[in-house]
């Protein structure tokens, strides 16, 4: 590094003396030295030469003295480290100079050995400040990239921990949420582009805020669909519990959003949510030039299939047994054993319920009817028929009744 120093002094023989004393450093490219006769000339020179690293200034000069110059330098956005060198080394000048931000204060006549040592110390200080700024800029860029995926607090933590820490590709146990909007393709075909853009931005923005409130990671946003991860990149021992709580809040926010749009005459579809927990390959798959933090694996596909299963079941949230088992105090009702597309083994699924609905009498009636259906009891059909008669708005009970009426038995069902 070549440090550029601006000497500000009106003594006519100082320039030759400084150039002679620092000729070796100048010759070796360690120093570049410039000169100004007073504070005003120094400010003009700094404006034309922003690469100047530090200023060495006298105090007593015409037009603008060194202490006034020092104040101007400290008011600037790009503050220059400044050494004051003066024959007026009384305590008042020293205190004023240090209070105005001088890096050091030397007295005249100049002891060049002392000046050289002070300049070396100042250059080390400047290099340290530059390294701090560089790291801060790297952290800010990393934070900007990470904020697309992670909650603000988590993004800040990852950015501060250094590049790549915590986002390298690895196998992790994760809970994955998939969301999608019913009838979104029809909305795309019918809504004006400006309306659709505004709707989708508000929807995705609101859903993302809900995810971040639960410290989830938004791995992908594909049109109207969101893929959310828990327990990645950081450890979240309660990831299944967080995922279920997040799903409830996503569902509540999406329903409120639909109601607001309906009041405006916009038919915005319901949001379907699927959750599964299992191992997945998680990390940044964007190579060196892009940042793409996402997850791959069978468990991710299952979460997507559970989201789609809601369409057949009439539910809005469908979770696998692995989530229901791992979530603390899980409250929900059994859906059945689903034969999901592309899978040979059935997957037991549940519908998580808010506490009030979980404790409602109709949930107990549903559980009784489901138990009869699981046991192959013919009484399951009248039990579901009675339930639907009392609660026609229960789509899952209606789904099972329709199956039984069509001759189906048991709780295993094939979904397309």
């Amino acid at each position: 590094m070549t440090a550029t120093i601006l000497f500000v002094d009106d003594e006519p023989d100082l320039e030759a003396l400084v150039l002679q004393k620092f000729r070796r450093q100048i010759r070796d490219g360690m120093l570049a030295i410039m000169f100004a006769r007073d504070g005003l000339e120094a400010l003009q020179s700094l404006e034309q030469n922003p690469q100047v690293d530090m200023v060495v200034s006298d105090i007593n000069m015409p037009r603008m003295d060194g202490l006034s110059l020092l104040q101007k330098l400290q008011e600037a956005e790009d503050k220059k480290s400044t050494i004051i060198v003066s024959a007026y080394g009384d305590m008042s000048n020293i205190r004023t100079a240090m209070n105005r931000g001088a890096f050091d204060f030397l007295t005249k006549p100049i002891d060049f050995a002392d000046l050289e040592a002070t300049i070396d110390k100042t250059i080390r200080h400047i290099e340290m400040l530059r390294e701090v700024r560089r790291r801060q800029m790297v952290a800010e860029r990393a934070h900007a990239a990470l904020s697309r995926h992670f909650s603000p607090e988590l993004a800040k933590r990852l950015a501060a921990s250094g590049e790549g820490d915590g986002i390298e590709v690895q196998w992790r146990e994760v809970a994955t949420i998939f969301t999608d909007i019913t009838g979104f393709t029809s909305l795309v075909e019918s809504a004006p582009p400006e309306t659709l853009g505004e709707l989708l931005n508000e929807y995705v923005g609101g859903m993302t805020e809900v995810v971040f409130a639960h410290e989830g990671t938004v791995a992908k946003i594909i049109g109207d669909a969101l893929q959310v991860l828990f327990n990645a990149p950081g450890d979240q021992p309660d990831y299944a519990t967080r995922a279920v709580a997040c799903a409830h809040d996503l569902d509540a926010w999406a329903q409120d959003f639909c109601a607001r749009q309906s009041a405006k005459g916009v038919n915005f579809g319901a949001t379907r949510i699927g959750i599964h927990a299992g191992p997945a390959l998680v990390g940044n798959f964007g190579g060196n030039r892009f940042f793409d933090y996402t997850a791959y694996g069978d468990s991710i596909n299952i979460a997507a299939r559970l989201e789609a299963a809601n369409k057949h079941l009439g539910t809005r949230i469908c979770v696998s047994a692995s989530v229901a088992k791992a979530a603390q105090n899980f409250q929900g009702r059994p859906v059945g054993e689903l034969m999901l597309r592309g899978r040979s083994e059935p997957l037991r699924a549940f519908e998580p319920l808010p506490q009030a609905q979980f404790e409602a009498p109709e949930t107990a009636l549903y559980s009784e009817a489901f138990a009869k259906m699981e046991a192959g009891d013919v009484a399951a059909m009248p039990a579901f028929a009675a339930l639907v008669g009392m609660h026609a708005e229960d789509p899952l009970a209606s789904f099972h009744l329709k199956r039984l009426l069509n001759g189906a038995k048991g709780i295993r069902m094939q979904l397309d």
Side-chain angles (χ1 to χ4, degrees), residues 358-400:
F358 179 70
E359 295 174 348
E362 57 266 28
T363 299
L365 292 174
Y366 174 93
S367 297
E368 292 172 9
F370 186 89
K372 288 183 172 67
M373 182 170 65
E374 186 172 18
D377 190 339
V378 294
M381 187 188 299
F384 274 112
L387 183 60
V388 172
M390 290 185 288
H391 302 281
E393 74 287 357
D394 186 340
L396 185 57
S398 298
F399 170 80
H400 286 312

Side-chain angles (χ1 to χ4, degrees), residues 83-87 104-108 110-111 114-115 118:
I83 301 169
I84 297 295
V85 183
S86 174
D104 210 336
F105 194 107
L106 303 180
T107 56
K108 288 183 177 179
I110 297 175
D111 178 342
D114 188 20
L115 177 59
T118 305

Side-chain angles (χ1 to χ4, degrees), residues 211-376:
V211 172
F212 286 170
H214 289 272
E215 296 198 332
T217 296
V218 177
K220 281 189 187 305
I221 298 174
I222 307 171
D224 59 320
L226 270 72
Q227 179 191 344
V228 177
L229 302 174
F230 285 90
N231 203 36
D235 293 335
Q236 292 173 317
D238 58 345
Y239 60 90
T241 305
R242 284 176 184 261
V244 173
C246 181
H248 278 309
D249 286 349
L250 287 171
D251 179 57
W253 190 92
Q255 285 194 77
D256 179 68
F257 183 78
C258 284
R260 283 187 278 123
Q261 299 312 315
S262 179
K264 298 176 187 174
V266 178
N267 185 22
F268 198 90
T271 294
R272 301 187 303 245
I273 301 171
I275 317 176
H276 180 60
L281 199 57
V282 187
N284 176 28
F285 290 88
N288 294 328
R289 296 182 65 85
F290 301 98
F291 185 81
D292 183 20
Y293 188 87
T294 189
Y296 295 100
D298 192 46
S299 64
I300 308 301
N301 298 332
I302 292 174
R305 300 280 188 271
L306 287 171
E307 176 273 309
N310 287 293
K311 180 180 179 181
H312 303 279
L313 301 168
T315 50
R316 293 196 303 273
I317 310 176
C318 190
V319 311
S320 66
S322 63
V323 172
K325 184 178 179 182
Q328 186 176 11
N329 193 29
F330 177 77
Q331 295 179 332
R333 59 181 181 175
V335 167
E337 293 180 349
L338 309 182
M339 296 299 297
L340 298 174
R341 182 163 56 88
R343 293 187 60 80
S344 57
E345 296 295 323
L347 184 79
R348 197 171 181 91
F350 294 81
E351 181 188 28
L353 299 173
Q355 183 172 355
Q357 189 178 347
F358 179 70
E359 295 174 348
E362 57 266 28
T363 299
L365 292 174
Y366 174 93
S367 297
E368 292 172 9
F370 186 89
K372 288 183 172 67
M373 182 170 65
E374 186 172 18

Side-chain angles (χ1 to χ4, degrees), residues 1-48:
M1 166 190 172
T2 299
T4 303
I5 304 173
L6 175 63
F7 278 82
V8 188
D9 201 306
D10 60 340
E11 288 186 21
D13 56 346
L14 181 71
E15 180 172 339
L17 189 58
V18 168
L19 291 175
Q20 194 275 331
K21 292 291 185 182
F22 290 99
R23 63 183 184 283
R24 180 183 57 80
Q25 293 91 331
I26 296 171
R27 183 195 63 210
D28 294 343
M30 299 168 61
L31 292 181
I33 297 179
M34 305 169 60
F35 296 92
R37 299 293 182 183
D38 56 49
L40 287 178
E41 189 178 329
L43 291 176
Q44 292 170 353
S45 180
L46 288 170
E47 188 174 348
Q48 296 167 1

Side-chain angles (χ1 to χ4, degrees), residues 105-159:
F105 194 107
L106 303 180
T107 56
K108 288 183 177 179
I110 297 175
D111 178 342
F112 276 92
D114 188 20
L115 177 59
E116 183 177 355
T118 305
I119 287 174
D120 289 344
K121 181 178 68 175
T122 309
I123 290 172
R124 289 196 298 274
H125 177 73
I126 292 169
E127 290 174 343
M128 183 195 70
L129 290 178
R130 284 178 175 165
E131 177 61 18
V132 169
R133 291 192 194 111
R134 188 193 69 79
R135 291 186 180 185
Q136 184 178 5
M137 290 176 65
V138 169
E140 288 174 355
R141 283 198 296 272
H143 182 260
L146 295 169
S147 294
R148 295 172 52 220
H149 299 261
F150 309 122
S151 67
E153 283 303 314
L154 184 54
K156 194 186 300 180
R157 201 159 67 231
L158 287 170

